[in-house]
Amino acid sequence: MNELNLLLKQISLGEDSILELKDIKYSDNSVIGPHRDSFASELSAMANSHGGTIILGADDKTHEIIGLPCDKLDITETWIRNIANDLIKPPLICKIRKLIVLKENNEKIIIRIDIPQSIFVHECSDGYFYRIGSSKRKMSPDFLARLFQQRTQNRLIRFDEQLVMDASVNDLKENLFNRFKTDLSPKDNIEFLRKMKLISSNEDNDLYPTVSGILIAFDTPENFISNSYIQAVCYLGDNYGSEQLDAMDITGPLDIQIREACKFVKRNMKTRAVKNPGRIETPQYSLNAVFEAIVNAVAHRDYSIYGSKIRLHIFSDRIELYSPGCIPNSMTIDSLQFRQSSRNELLSSLLSRCPINFENYESKRNFIMDKRGEGVPIILSESFKLSGKMPEYKLIDDTELLLTIFSAF
């Protein structure tokens, strides 16, 4: 029995703990039923439990396939994505498929939403839910506490190793992942990608790219991982109200983002020349320090935070670099230069094996990231040597880390 026939058999039996049936109501070009908040709680309940499947275009009482209008499929998919991204915290990654089924010699279109069991506990506007049988239940405080404890332990599988189920293994570009191959690497690409954890399998042994795979080996990772880019702006003065001299959204694989962000700083910073007696040029910033700062921001940011991006802002007297996420583990602002910890272990490992294919500003390294934890000390010492001012780290609302590097003049 093929997968589609098996699904139809399951639909005919009705809802259970991993199957939900929904009819969709429309008004013009908008989905009006079910309610967005109610649907968000259904999605999060499955993710907080054992995962499951929601079928849109089926009646939950009669178990009949009603189908969806062909001209409403795109707005329905957008409706689902907006709910998963905007109404659930942290945002939910799910797989959405449009399927054609034959019912009484008539073709019907349904949408299948596959929700994996999450390594996070998801909250919607009405609270925290889990699924038992064919219904969702609100979590009691003690149930929620136990689940948080379990999921915290499960985060040995970190977010950067989580599957991106909207993407396909074929989306990963061979020219990008070949950079990590050595003479000892498996010759078979799938075997190599699995070994590098650029792809992994779900409970049904279906292969998908991981978050790290998309960030490292896909041309436009922001297509799947929202806001996985650097927003760069250069201002004329020392405040946000001053004129913008240059601005760009820096996209692409992470090593390309690092390269382009460094080039953005280099072309927008000033150089002061004095004669002593020969000509001596002093740059406004240490590009080696800037390089290390951008690498750290890209490697350690929290990619699970929806709607937040790395922001690189250049003012007349300073650079401000905002990185989403609090400081990992038990580290503090004061201990950053003395301790080493990574939120994204896999991503950091990949960057430490990713060759530097651009001017690396005297870092004297062959690979983008240093495994010895020298990044923060370099940022502090190189910047202080040039400007006489120590760079400042600041945690903003426990959701964003701000690094300020001061100008040499």
Side-chain angles (χ1 to χ4, degrees), residues 372-408:
R372 296 169 296 181
E374 295 179 350
V376 173
I378 289 174
I379 294 167
L380 299 179
S381 62
E382 293 276 336
S383 299
F384 181 76
K385 182 169 62 177
L386 193 62
S387 69
K389 296 180 180 179
M390 189 66 74
E392 294 179 356
Y393 283 96
K394 182 179 180 181
L395 194 58
I396 302 174
D397 297 330
D398 286 330
T399 61
E400 201 168 33
L401 184 64
L402 167 62
L403 168 63
T404 303
I405 301 176
F406 298 98
S407 171

Side-chain angles (χ1 to χ4, degrees), residues 151-214:
R151 295 292 163 93
T152 299
Q153 293 169 349
N154 287 343
R155 284 191 202 168
L156 293 173
I157 303 174
R158 298 169 182 261
F159 183 80
D160 59 340
E161 297 180 35
Q162 192 167 348
L163 302 182
V164 181
M165 298 183 70
D166 284 353
S168 163
V169 171
N170 294 328
D171 288 322
L172 301 186
K173 306 301 181 184
E174 190 167 0
N175 65 305
L176 294 176
F177 63 69
N178 275 346
R179 297 175 296 172
F180 300 95
K181 286 187 175 180
T182 68
D183 293 339
L184 300 177
S185 298
K187 302 302 180 186
D188 179 74
N189 280 344
I190 294 297
E191 184 183 353
F192 171 73
L193 291 171
R194 293 191 72 147
K195 184 176 181 180
M196 296 295 294
K197 295 186 179 180
L198 296 175
I199 64 174
S200 190
S201 58
N202 63 5
E203 294 176 351
D204 297 324
N205 289 320
D206 298 320
L207 289 171
Y208 296 96
T210 61
V211 168
S212 291
I214 291 295

Side-chain angles (χ1 to χ4, degrees), residues 14-25:
E15 297 178 341
D16 54 28
S17 59
I18 58 171
L19 180 66
E20 177 79 13
L21 308 178
K22 291 288 184 187
D23 187 17
I24 301 294
K25 304 296 182 185

